[in-house]
Amino acid sequence: MVLLLCLLLVGCYDDEGNYDYHDVTPVSIDTTGTGILPEYALTRFDVIDLAPKVYYNGHLVTDESAVPLSYQWTLFSSVTGAGTSTAIDTLGNARHLVASVNRTGGNYFVQLVVTNTEDGLREFFRTRVSVSEALDGGWMLLYERADRPGYSDLALILNPWTKNNLTTDRAYTNLYELTNGSPLRGKPIRCLDIAMSLTGLNYVGLCTDYTLVGVTDTGIEQVMSFNNFFNNAPSRMAPSWYSHHGNGGVSGQCSEVLINDNKVYTNTYFNSTSGERESRFGVAKFDEGVGELAAWNAEIPSQLNYGVVVYDQTHQCFRYTAFASAQFETFAEQNMELAAFDVNHTGMTLLMGDWGVGEQRLFPYDYLLMTDGNAYRLAVANFSTSTPEDSNIGIGLYDMTSLCPQVAAATTMAASNIGSYIYYGAGGRLYHFAYDSGLPAEAVWTSPSAGEVVTCVRLQKYYNSIYNAGMMPSCDDLLHIATWNEQTRQGHLYQYRINTASGDIDMSVCRDYAIPGRVKDMGWKFSMQ
């Protein structure tokens, strides 16, 4: 009886639901005849160009078609599992995709989603993309961003002059932000590739006045924060200098050098064929009598006689620590009948310096632009093969006041490791000073536009013994001139070949690159080729 009643109730039920049925407008994606491939092999920062056909209600959609469709192109890893990246990059929002692939080396999908905005239905297209790195060598530039004052970023120039076995010419800018999501906080100080390993994992150190970070040498991914550089990190981040000590010729004699908060830290490391970085900065070097330190250290001592050599601006003297020591000491009393100047009391302020030609190719001297407030001089010191007991470490002193135009306005200098000359930049000009000749410095280059000033000049050379083994392209004969125009907020890099013996510039060929900021430092990025 109960069952019969239920059946009667069901039979009397009237479905009064409000159902709105409508036809689905078909949308389809077709790659026939478009040249689109099922898989692409790209180098990082290559541009991918994809223009599939899209049909709406059977009609080919053009850029002028008024159809309710939206487009989204994304890139994401095709590999899943622990440790893989889950980031999804949006590449574009138009049917025709033209976009740079900025992800680090790996395997990815590029996917198009076409959405009918009236009913929310979607169609998908996907192709595979394998990305390889091209950042294992070249010329680095560290600059303050024109669009983000107070922040720094990295550029890399790749051409046959800066990287062996290369036929293309590429310039990558804003690499740090593109890889890590935001530019590096602080104004630039130095970029330095520490070649601790010939074939293993190296990193590039990027130093600003706010922090020091380490990035992978192939991907520019940050792998070391400021604290990672130390066994026990100082409480205050205030770098003023980051550099290197030693020529890399003997394992265990090289170190990184950091001046942070006016304290000196070193990190002794061993050259390796395939190992990875393990050492860290130790305790700060100490001496209660040391004053304000210059943004400088002697970079290429070739012996174990010095652990680090720095300059005390307050007391106008050089100081050193012995190898594996943490205490600063003074040098032996200098014989002023032999020495060109007294390293224990120069009477001058150190403005800037560079290493250059010395006793041998791997035993260079330090070339230092110094002033006593009125006169300007080029001081030459042998911290490469001397010992702290030597009495004539200061081996040369050249007057620049009367011989060098605009020397008081100099902002940058570079010393040759082959010939007896330096370059210095002041205003919109680059000067060549052959210090042994007794002749005045010559203006050998003028910036091509008004308001464009020289901010950095470097010769292509390298501190490591790799430099002496023929692994470096354009060794000593490539000149890099970086400029900045405050009115246009635009930077440039100009590259020229030079005569290594005389320093004469070959003006017949110039490579010119736009840099989106004010360059502070440049250097070669090591590549094992």
Side-chain angles (χ1 to χ4, degrees):
M1 187 68 180
V2 174
L3 177 60
L4 178 60
L5 180 60
C6 291
L7 290 173
L8 289 172
L9 289 173
V10 171
C12 296
Y13 176 73
D14 185 12
D15 185 356
E16 296 180 353
N18 183 18
Y19 295 97
D20 183 14
Y21 295 99
H22 62 272
D23 294 331
V24 174
T25 304
V27 176
S28 62
I29 302 172
D30 182 13
T31 61
T32 305
T34 62
I36 293 177
L37 304 175
E39 186 170 352
Y40 288 84
L42 303 179
T43 299
R44 189 180 178 198
F45 301 109
D46 278 352
V47 171
I48 190 167
D49 188 332
L50 303 175
K53 299 174 185 177
V54 175
Y55 290 89
Y56 178 78
N57 200 21
H59 297 285
L60 180 65
V61 175
T62 67
D63 293 338
E64 291 75 29
S65 300
V67 291
L69 300 179
S70 66
Y71 307 91
Q72 184 181 50
W73 290 92
T74 55
L75 180 143
F76 53 91
S77 176
S78 64
V79 181
T80 59
T84 59
S85 174
T86 59
I88 300 176
D89 294 344
T90 298
L91 299 181
N93 295 105
R95 179 187 61 84
H96 186 180
L97 174 69
V98 180
S100 174
V101 177
N102 299 336
R103 293 287 282 271
T104 55
N107 296 311
Y108 300 90
F109 285 124
V110 170
Q111 177 174 278
L112 169 64
V113 178
V114 181
T115 303
N116 186 330
T117 57
E118 290 185 341
D119 56 26
L121 294 179
R122 298 181 295 175
E123 285 292 319
F124 296 84
F125 161 75
R126 179 182 291 180
T127 185
R128 289 181 177 272
V129 174
S130 62
V131 178
S132 63
E133 300 285 2
L135 308 180
D136 61 341
W139 188 252
M140 301 183 296
L141 303 93
L142 187 64
Y143 54 92
E144 182 179 11
R145 291 274 292 264
D147 61 341
R148 295 286 301 275
Y151 286 82
S152 300
D153 222 313
L154 188 73
L156 183 67
I157 305 301
L158 300 176
N159 60 45
W161 287 357
T162 63
K163 184 178 178 182
N164 286 322
N165 307 316
L166 195 69
T167 58
T168 58
D169 190 335
R170 299 185 180 190
Y172 302 112
T173 58
N174 293 351
L175 279 173
Y176 188 86
E177 180 182 27
L178 288 172
T179 305
N180 300 287
S182 61
L184 188 60
R185 185 174 176 182
K187 294 187 176 183
I189 293 177
R190 290 205 81 183
C191 55
L192 187 63
D193 190 345
I194 301 291
M196 294 185 179
S197 172
L198 296 182
T199 59
L201 177 65
N202 284 311
Y203 67 88
V204 174
L206 304 178
C207 185
T208 72
D209 62 3
Y210 178 79
T211 191
L212 170 67
V213 301
V215 299
T216 57
D217 60 350
T218 55
I220 317 299
E221 296 173 285
Q222 183 180 322
V223 290
M224 297 181 65
S225 66
F226 182 84
N227 288 353
N228 296 143
F229 280 85
F230 296 84
N231 289 322
N232 294 290
S235 58
R236 182 168 182 256
M237 292 192 302
S240 59
W241 181 247
Y242 172 61
S243 189
H244 175 268
H245 174 94
N247 71 3
V250 178
S251 292
Q253 75 172 42
C254 297
S255 62
E256 292 170 281
V257 178
L258 177 68
I259 301 178
N260 180 77
D261 198 19
N262 206 50
K263 297 179 178 63
V264 181
Y265 300 85
T266 63
N267 161 32
T268 302
Y269 68 85
F270 289 79
N271 294 112
S272 167
T273 56
S274 60
E276 297 184 1
R277 184 187 202 279
E278 296 179 353
S279 54
R280 297 287 186 268
F281 287 127
V283 298
K285 309 297 182 184
F286 61 89
D287 189 319
E288 293 181 359
V290 172
E292 179 187 354
L293 296 172
W296 173 89
N297 75 283
E299 294 189 78
I300 319 293
S302 62
Q303 308 295 330
L304 303 181
N305 299 329
Y306 306 106
V308 66
V309 180
V310 296
Y311 190 76
D312 183 336
Q313 299 279 44
T314 303
H315 301 100
Q316 299 181 327
C317 63
F318 295 90
R319 289 288 180 265
Y320 79 96
T321 67
F323 182 71
S325 170
Q327 182 165 359
F328 281 113
E329 301 184 43
T330 60
F331 297 87
E333 183 178 351
Q334 300 294 289
N335 182 344
M336 298 315 298
E337 293 184 0
L338 299 175
F341 63 94
D342 187 352
V343 293
N344 289 313
H345 183 69
T346 68
M348 297 180 287
T349 298
L350 194 158
L351 302 176
M352 63 195 77
D354 189 21
W355 55 271
V357 63
E359 294 180 9
Q360 299 178 35
R361 185 181 177 86
L362 282 180
F363 303 151
Y365 297 147
D366 281 282
Y367 291 78
L368 309 160
L369 177 54
M370 308 184 78
T371 182
D372 63 4
N374 297 306
Y376 292 82
R377 297 180 178 87
L378 180 67
V380 184
N382 175 17
F383 296 116
S384 183
T385 60
S386 67
T387 71
E389 290 74 34
D390 288 340
S391 60
N392 59 337
I393 296 173
I395 60 174
L397 192 64
Y398 302 90
D399 177 60
M400 300 181 73
T401 311
S402 59
L403 295 177
C404 296
Q406 286 191 284
V407 66
T411 55
T412 180
M413 66 168 284
S416 169
N417 198 37
I418 301 295
S420 299
Y421 58 88
I422 67 166
Y423 299 103
Y424 67 92
R429 292 185 173 182
L430 185 74
Y431 293 89
H432 172 275
F433 180 45
Y435 46 84
D436 278 342
S437 70
L439 298 175
E442 294 182 291
V444 291
W445 184 86
T446 301
S447 60
S449 65
E452 194 173 350
V453 299
V454 178
T455 63
C456 188
V457 59
R458 296 286 185 267
L459 287 163
Q460 190 152 304
K461 57 189 180 182
Y462 197 56
Y463 65 85
N464 200 284
S465 53
I466 295 165
Y467 168 65
N468 201 41
M471 299 181 193
M472 185 180 192
S474 309
C475 200
D476 293 303
D477 72 356
L478 188 57
L479 178 66
H480 305 264
I481 307 169
T483 65
W484 169 250
N485 191 316
E486 184 64 30
Q487 286 71 43
T488 63
R489 305 290 295 173
Q490 180 63 60
H492 275 272
L493 171 70
Y494 303 96
Q495 294 178 330
Y496 297 92
R497 293 283 196 181
I498 65 167
N499 181 306
T500 56
S502 66
D504 294 337
I505 302 175
D506 179 0
M507 296 289 190
S508 63
V509 180
C510 171
R511 295 181 185 267
D512 177 4
Y513 302 92
I515 306 297
R518 183 186 182 102
V519 176
K520 172 63 176 177
D521 190 40
M522 302 184 281
W524 185 60
K525 190 168 177 296
F526 166 74
S527 177
M528 185 69 178
Q529 298 181 339

